[in-house]
Amino acid sequence: MNVQTTQEQLTKALAATSRVASAKAGLPVLGNVLLRTSGSNLLVAATNLELAATTHVGAKVASQGDITVPAKLLSEFVANLPKEPVELDVKNHRLTVTCGGYTSTLNGIEADEFPELPTIDEKTSIHFSISRDDFKQAAAQTTLACSNDVTRPVLTGLYWHTHDGSLYLVGTDGYRLAERKLFTSKSELAAIVPVTTIHEALRVLPDSIEELDVLFDDSQVRFRIGDTEITSRLIDGKYPDYRQLIPTSSETSLTVATDELTRTAKIARLFARDSGGSITMSVDGDASQLAIKSVASDIGDNTATLDVEATASGSVSLNSRYLSEALAVIGSESLTIAFSGKLAPIVMTPDAKSSDYTHIIMPLKS
Amino acid sequence: MNVQTTQEQLTKALAATSRVASAKAGLPVLGNVLLRTSGSNLLVAATNLELAATTHVGAKVASQGDITVPAKLLSEFVANLPKEPVELDVKNHRLTVTCGGYTSTLNGIEADEFPELPTIDEKTSIHFSISRDDFKQAAAQTTLACSNDVTRPVLTGLYWHTHDGSLYLVGTDGYRLAERKLFTSKSELAAIVPVTTIHEALRVLPDSIEELDVLFDDSQVRFRIGDTEITSRLIDGKYPDYRQLIPTSSETSLTVATDELTRTAKIARLFARDSGGSITMSVDGDASQLAIKSVASDIGDNTATLDVEATASGSVSLNSRYLSEALAVIGSESLTIAFSGKLAPIVMTPDAKSSDYTHIIMPLKS
């Protein structure tokens, strides 16, 4: 193999792929990145068997071929080269990289040992186009509620599904739940995408891309972001029927400015460290005031009062970290919090004309 | 105690002091910050017994008094309050902080249990005024060579001393040495300042301060930075007679652009991971070229060639991390590297008219 490309293009391609590579005991080739000529392109790919990242770089191909070399070393090396043409030459399982006054030779592993890259049948797959901004916001709003608990794999994924003709993303860990409605769709989908795949797609997503494509087949999802594709397995299993958990009415409903409640939640959290993060929200409907109290017997206690609009008085305790994290992604200047006594789920929604986001937090015993 | 001040002032004072506080087993009061009225000021102080940070805040003092409260909690709490007046009120070893709609009570420890703050006799002490920029650069250029090895405490400090009528800062760990000349001085000084004290002074130093004062008595140093004072013990012991280690002549001397050598050193370091960071510099005096080679048998090898001005040919091996770190602080567009064969120390100096900086790296066996 002998190809010539530019330092900028190769740096970008390696940044988009090499992070996926990670050598496993007995499988050193997984720590490598695959370089393979493909017509007048150079394919750059890495995989951890669950997730594969591939991209193409325009190149002058003098002779076809392929090799795999340590991903991290090649990526850091190329990133530090001057912005000049780069020549890649393969002989005897060794890759020689030449750029300006630099010549380096990396010992490789032959490409035959690299795992097969996943394929998706584009004709039979379900396909969505999503704007970068919608995807970034929806992912941030929902992945925060996903679980880390590998004993319940279904909850470690983000649930992409259609319902009543719209596409929804949902995350839940059993203590909180976040649902974001995206747009209308005639497809029928119910798929659980690993959160790590979403994070990898977000990491690769450049500001220059306006729209990305998401493709689903029965067992895989592919994010196509410009020249880069992130493909991973879906999580097997049935997602819980979460809709029945969302309360349809409430006893107390209040509207509050997001930035004021954010500050209050942050301060309350400092004082709630000794009490597992528990804080109590008490609404005085007559005075139109919300009091947030944290009690931490060892270090002290804290009370903040905020002016709010409220329908009725009521009180509920919840985890201050969950409150802070929800406020960070609510995406509106004010929000509505609705609850019914100390035991029913607390429902937070952005205070906007068309509310596509619902965040639910289970109360704590107070 | 009852005082009123502003959120901004109190936040700044706590940021400058509270990081020093750290509770030790049996001495919980060291995790606290001391608040004490002093005329129409509020003294804010923290200490870890080695180092004390104190500052003063302008305040309306309604009643005198003092208390200590958890430093980290108070600091984070005040930083998150709205930018409004703050009232501090002490009753029964409890501090109540009121600001806007926020009221918090922190459980304290009485101020009697707080260690006595260090004092320096200003009349008998040796005193220097240093511009912020000089101090920042000189500290960065010299502390990087100080040792972390607590079995040789003297080398974990920065050596401040006068020689031939000038003040010098010196750091060395036995493998490298950095000396920076500051300015002429008629004082006589030989003092070893803990590097942690230098770092704390740098952390507190705001961009708004043009000049800081440094005071030495027999056993202590004080950095006076605006309203804030950092005072610490000096390190006991005699600093090595390092001047005899600096070569006065060289067989090979080369001049090279700092940014090009920085890039080359960074790349060479990637390939030198398996060989303890060792790289070899080979100068070809006739061709005016410097070749930097790293050999890492497992992963590959790397050679870079740079155009340089050189007096003679020669070759020497050194640690690539030391080279990179020295280049990062050399502070000039080009530099001179002088060495004599494979065993003598390598001398790096900025290529400027008045060179006040000398950086020495011991060679490695190649």
Side-chain angles (χ1 to χ4, degrees):
Chain A
M1 178 181 111
N2 183 292
V3 305
Q4 191 178 308
T5 179
T6 66
Q7 187 265 352
E8 289 99 324
Q9 279 187 292
L10 193 56
T11 297
K12 232 191 266 180
L14 289 165
T17 54
S18 65
R19 224 185 64 130
V20 171
S22 160
K24 286 188 189 173
L27 267 176
V29 78
L30 294 184
N32 283 12
V33 67
L34 172 70
L35 305 175
R36 171 177 288 157
T37 57
S38 162
S40 64
N41 280 312
L42 177 69
L43 166 75
V44 180
T47 178
N48 63 12
L49 299 181
E50 293 293 321
L51 185 153
T54 64
T55 192
H56 286 86
V57 177
K60 279 187 212 161
V61 178
S63 74
Q64 307 281 338
D66 51 24
I67 188 152
T68 80
V69 289
K72 189 156 181 272
L73 176 63
L74 183 67
S75 178
E76 291 183 10
F77 169 54
V78 172
N80 281 295
L81 287 172
K83 295 195 194 319
E84 289 179 28
V86 175
E87 187 191 335
L88 305 173
D89 189 76
V90 174
K91 276 195 192 74
N92 303 323
H93 311 319
R94 287 163 65 88
L95 171 71
T96 299
V97 183
T98 312
C99 176
Y102 296 84
T103 303
S104 295
T105 301
L106 285 79
N107 298 330
I109 300 175
E110 53 186 314
D112 295 356
E113 291 191 29
F114 201 78
E116 201 165 324
L117 293 170
T119 54
I120 281 193
D121 183 345
E122 307 243 335
K123 281 177 201 157
T124 59
S125 69
I126 296 173
H127 174 257
F128 300 100
S129 291
I130 309 182
S131 80
R132 180 194 62 230
D133 293 348
D134 277 354
F135 176 63
K136 281 178 82 164
Q137 190 187 40
Q141 287 181 325
T142 51
T143 55
L144 88 166
C146 293
S147 172
N148 298 314
D149 180 1
V150 290
T151 64
R152 292 190 67 188
V154 159
L155 297 190
T156 66
L158 193 65
Y159 184 43
W160 294 59
H161 71 291
T162 50
H163 177 81
D164 273 353
S166 290
L167 176 67
Y168 289 83
L169 307 192
V170 178
T172 184
D173 59 6
Y175 305 103
R176 48 184 170 166
L177 181 148
E179 179 201 64
R180 168 70 190 259
K181 184 175 170 179
L182 270 174
F183 40 66
T184 57
S185 165
K186 286 180 182 163
S187 306
E188 290 279 334
L189 177 72
I192 307 170
V193 178
V195 168
T196 49
T197 305
I198 305 287
H199 287 154
E200 197 56 33
L202 286 168
R203 201 186 62 77
V204 165
L205 187 63
D207 284 345
S208 57
I209 295 268
E210 286 296 317
E211 198 172 67
L212 63 152
D213 294 319
V214 191
L215 288 75
F216 290 89
D217 71 10
D218 285 349
S219 64
Q220 298 177 107
V221 60
R222 168 170 292 174
F223 291 86
R224 186 183 295 141
I225 299 163
D227 292 330
T228 301
E229 291 179 342
I230 307 289
T231 310
S232 94
R233 292 193 196 163
L234 296 173
I235 296 175
D236 275 339
K238 194 177 168 338
Y239 206 76
D241 180 16
Y242 73 89
R243 277 201 166 75
Q244 64 183 13
L245 302 173
I246 304 179
T248 50
S249 65
S250 67
E251 290 169 12
T252 305
S253 170
L254 65 103
T255 301
V256 59
T258 307
D259 57 353
E260 278 193 51
L261 188 57
T262 298
R263 183 203 295 278
T264 306
K266 202 167 170 190
I267 288 177
R269 210 175 141 184
L270 296 174
F271 286 82
R273 279 183 192 149
D274 287 3
S275 58
S278 176
I279 58 172
T280 302
M281 300 201 304
S282 301
V283 180
D284 181 334
D286 298 329
S288 292
Q289 282 209 322
L290 167 67
I292 297 200
K293 282 192 196 193
S294 38
V295 179
S297 51
D298 275 2
I299 53 177
D301 53 62
N302 170 262
T303 304
T305 49
L306 293 175
D307 294 329
V308 298
E309 288 171 36
T311 58
S313 296
S315 178
V316 67
S317 293
L318 75 166
N319 183 312
S320 55
R321 178 164 71 84
Y322 292 174
L323 177 61
S324 285
E325 291 183 359
L327 290 170
V329 297
I330 199 94
S332 65
E333 285 186 12
S334 62
L335 74 150
T336 298
I337 303 179
F339 61 96
S340 302
K342 291 181 179 301
L343 299 174
I346 301 151
V347 182
M348 299 167 68
T349 45
D351 200 32
K353 273 175 198 162
S354 66
S355 175
D356 293 333
Y357 183 55
T358 305
H359 194 105
I360 290 178
I361 300 176
M362 295 301 292
L364 293 173
K365 283 179 192 161
S366 62
Chain B
M1 179 181 110
N2 182 291
V3 306
Q4 190 178 309
T5 180
T6 65
Q7 186 266 350
E8 288 99 324
Q9 280 188 292
L10 194 55
T11 297
K12 232 193 265 181
L14 289 165
T17 54
S18 65
R19 225 186 63 131
V20 172
S22 160
K24 287 186 188 173
L27 267 176
V29 78
L30 294 184
N32 282 13
V33 65
L34 172 70
L35 305 173
R36 170 177 289 157
T37 56
S38 162
S40 63
N41 280 312
L42 177 68
L43 167 75
V44 181
T47 179
N48 63 12
L49 300 180
E50 292 294 322
L51 186 154
T54 64
T55 193
H56 286 86
V57 176
K60 280 187 211 160
V61 179
S63 74
Q64 307 281 336
D66 51 25
I67 188 152
T68 80
V69 289
K72 188 155 180 272
L73 176 63
L74 183 66
S75 179
E76 292 184 9
F77 169 53
V78 172
N80 281 295
L81 288 172
K83 295 195 193 321
E84 289 181 26
V86 175
E87 187 190 335
L88 305 173
D89 189 76
V90 175
K91 277 196 190 74
N92 305 321
H93 311 319
R94 288 164 63 89
L95 170 71
T96 299
V97 183
T98 312
C99 177
Y102 296 85
T103 303
S104 295
T105 301
L106 286 78
N107 297 329
I109 300 176
E110 54 186 313
D112 296 356
E113 292 191 29
F114 201 78
E116 202 165 324
L117 293 170
T119 54
I120 280 193
D121 182 345
E122 308 242 335
K123 281 176 199 158
T124 60
S125 69
I126 296 173
H127 174 258
F128 301 100
S129 291
I130 308 181
S131 80
R132 180 195 60 229
D133 293 348
D134 277 354
F135 175 63
K136 282 178 80 164
Q137 190 188 40
Q141 287 181 326
T142 50
T143 54
L144 87 166
C146 294
S147 172
N148 298 314
D149 179 1
V150 290
T151 64
R152 294 191 66 188
V154 159
L155 298 190
T156 66
L158 192 65
Y159 184 43
W160 294 58
H161 71 292
T162 50
H163 178 79
D164 273 354
S166 288
L167 176 65
Y168 289 82
L169 306 192
V170 178
T172 184
D173 59 7
Y175 305 102
R176 48 186 171 164
L177 181 147
E179 179 201 65
R180 167 69 190 260
K181 186 175 169 179
L182 270 174
F183 40 67
T184 57
S185 166
K186 287 179 181 163
S187 305
E188 290 278 336
L189 177 72
I192 306 171
V193 178
V195 168
T196 48
T197 305
I198 305 286
H199 286 155
E200 196 56 32
L202 285 169
R203 200 186 63 77
V204 164
L205 187 63
D207 285 344
S208 58
I209 296 268
E210 286 296 316
E211 198 171 69
L212 62 153
D213 294 318
V214 191
L215 288 74
F216 290 89
D217 70 11
D218 285 348
S219 64
Q220 298 178 107
V221 60
R222 168 169 293 173
F223 291 85
R224 185 184 293 142
I225 299 163
D227 293 330
T228 301
E229 290 178 342
I230 307 289
T231 310
S232 94
R233 291 192 198 165
L234 296 173
I235 296 175
D236 275 340
K238 195 180 167 338
Y239 206 76
D241 180 14
Y242 73 90
R243 277 201 166 74
Q244 63 183 12
L245 302 173
I246 304 179
T248 51
S249 66
S250 66
E251 292 168 12
T252 305
S253 170
L254 65 105
T255 301
V256 58
T258 308
D259 58 352
E260 277 193 51
L261 188 58
T262 298
R263 182 203 294 279
T264 306
K266 203 168 169 188
I267 287 177
R269 212 176 139 183
L270 296 174
F271 285 84
R273 280 184 192 149
D274 286 3
S275 57
S278 176
I279 58 172
T280 301
M281 299 202 302
S282 301
V283 180
D284 181 335
D286 298 328
S288 292
Q289 281 208 322
L290 167 66
I292 297 200
K293 282 192 197 195
S294 38
V295 179
S297 52
D298 275 2
I299 53 177
D301 53 61
N302 169 261
T303 303
T305 49
L306 293 176
D307 294 328
V308 298
E309 290 170 34
T311 58
S313 295
S315 179
V316 66
S317 293
L318 74 166
N319 183 310
S320 55
R321 177 164 72 84
Y322 291 174
L323 177 61
S324 285
E325 290 182 0
L327 290 169
V329 298
I330 200 91
S332 66
E333 284 186 13
S334 62
L335 75 151
T336 297
I337 303 180
F339 61 96
S340 301
K342 291 182 177 299
L343 298 174
I346 301 151
V347 183
M348 299 167 66
T349 45
D351 199 31
K353 274 175 198 163
S354 66
S355 176
D356 293 332
Y357 184 54
T358 305
H359 194 105
I360 289 178
I361 299 177
M362 294 303 292
L364 294 173
K365 283 179 194 161
S366 61

